[in-house]
Amino acid sequence: MGKLVVVEMLSLDGVMQGPGGADEDRSGGFEHGGWAMPYFDEVVGEEAGKAMVETGAFLFGRKTYQIMAAYWPNHPDDDIFSNVLNSLPKYVASTTLDEPLAWSGSTLLKGEVAEAVAALKEEEVGNIVVLGSGQLARTLMEHDLVDEYGLTIHPLLLGPGKRLFDEAGAMRPMRLVDSKTSTTGVILATYRPEG
C-alpha cells in the first residue's frame, strides 16, 4: 500500500503560490513568483534528494502537471530530480486534460478524485508524492487521504497568495516526526496526522 505524502514550499505566513519562478503562477495578481529559490542551499537540496529516493510515484493537479511537464522532460537526466521525475509514474487529477498525456509515464485519473486516489494508494507501493497542486492537496486533506506532510517553511512573509491550509479546513492534530533547519533559515518539517 502506498503512503500519500504532500510536499509543499510555504512562506512563514502560509503562502504556497509560485515558489519556483517569476511566472509560475500570477493568478490573483500574485507578484512574488520565485520566492523560494534564494533560500535553496545544500541542506534543502540534500533533503529533497533523500525524499526523491523514497518516491514511488507522483500525483499532480492539472496546473502543476502542466508546469512540470513543460520543464522536466527537456532537462538533462544527469541529476536526481530530473531522473526521478522523468522515470517514475505520474498520475494527474484533471477534468480538462485528455489522454494521451505528453510527459512519458503520465496517466490521467478517472472518476471522482478522492475515490481514484484511495484506489491508487491500494495499488502503489512506496510514497505517492504530491508536489504543489494546492487545490488537489486540499481535496485530499478533506477526505483524510494524506499520510504525511513534508513542509519547507521559508523565513519570509508574502501577504496575499494561495495557501495550503485555508480557513475552510477542519481541525486536524499533527505530530512532528522530523525537522531540520537549513543554513538560510528554512525549516524542513515532516508531520503526520494524529489518530
Side-chain angles (χ1 to χ4, degrees):
M1 181 170 179
K3 178 171 75 170
L4 189 69
V5 181
V6 168
V7 175
E8 300 291 350
M9 290 183 251
L10 305 175
S11 65
L12 195 56
D13 56 346
V15 174
M16 62 175 289
Q17 186 171 356
D23 295 320
E24 184 176 336
D25 182 358
R26 290 187 175 270
S27 62
F30 189 72
E31 298 176 354
H32 305 298
W35 54 266
M37 296 304 96
Y39 297 94
F40 193 89
D41 69 354
E42 190 174 300
V43 175
V44 174
E46 187 175 298
E47 291 303 308
K50 285 181 195 174
M52 286 288 191
V53 170
E54 296 173 359
T55 300
F58 292 98
L59 174 59
F60 297 108
R62 178 196 52 82
K63 184 178 271 188
T64 302
Y65 173 79
Q66 289 178 314
I67 291 168
M68 302 288 261
Y71 179 77
W72 289 106
N74 305 312
H75 196 73
D77 275 346
D78 61 355
D79 73 53
I80 189 169
F81 301 109
S82 60
N83 190 315
V84 171
L85 282 160
N86 288 324
S87 66
L88 288 180
K90 292 161 282 290
Y91 298 95
V92 184
S94 172
T95 57
T96 58
L97 294 178
D98 294 311
E99 288 188 310
L101 297 172
W103 193 4
S104 176
S106 299
T107 303
L108 194 61
L109 292 178
K110 306 287 191 267
E112 199 273 322
V113 70
E115 291 175 12
V117 172
L120 183 63
K121 285 178 66 172
E122 292 293 326
E123 297 166 13
E124 281 293 332
V125 177
N127 291 348
I128 303 165
V129 175
V130 178
L131 297 175
S133 307
Q135 184 176 343
L136 172 62
R138 284 188 294 279
T139 298
L140 300 174
M141 288 187 283
E142 289 169 15
H143 289 87
D144 294 319
L145 290 168
V146 179
D147 300 301
E148 188 171 284
Y149 297 86
L151 307 178
T152 56
I153 305 162
H154 294 69
L156 80 159
L157 303 173
L158 289 171
K162 295 176 186 173
R163 287 170 163 71
L164 177 62
F165 305 108
D166 60 18
E167 295 175 4
M171 186 174 106
R172 288 183 165 82
M174 298 284 164
R175 179 171 48 94
L176 180 67
V177 294
D178 190 29
S179 66
K180 291 180 179 51
T181 305
S182 77
T183 62
T184 58
V186 175
I187 298 170
L188 298 99
T190 304
Y191 291 95
R192 291 187 186 138
E194 291 262 320

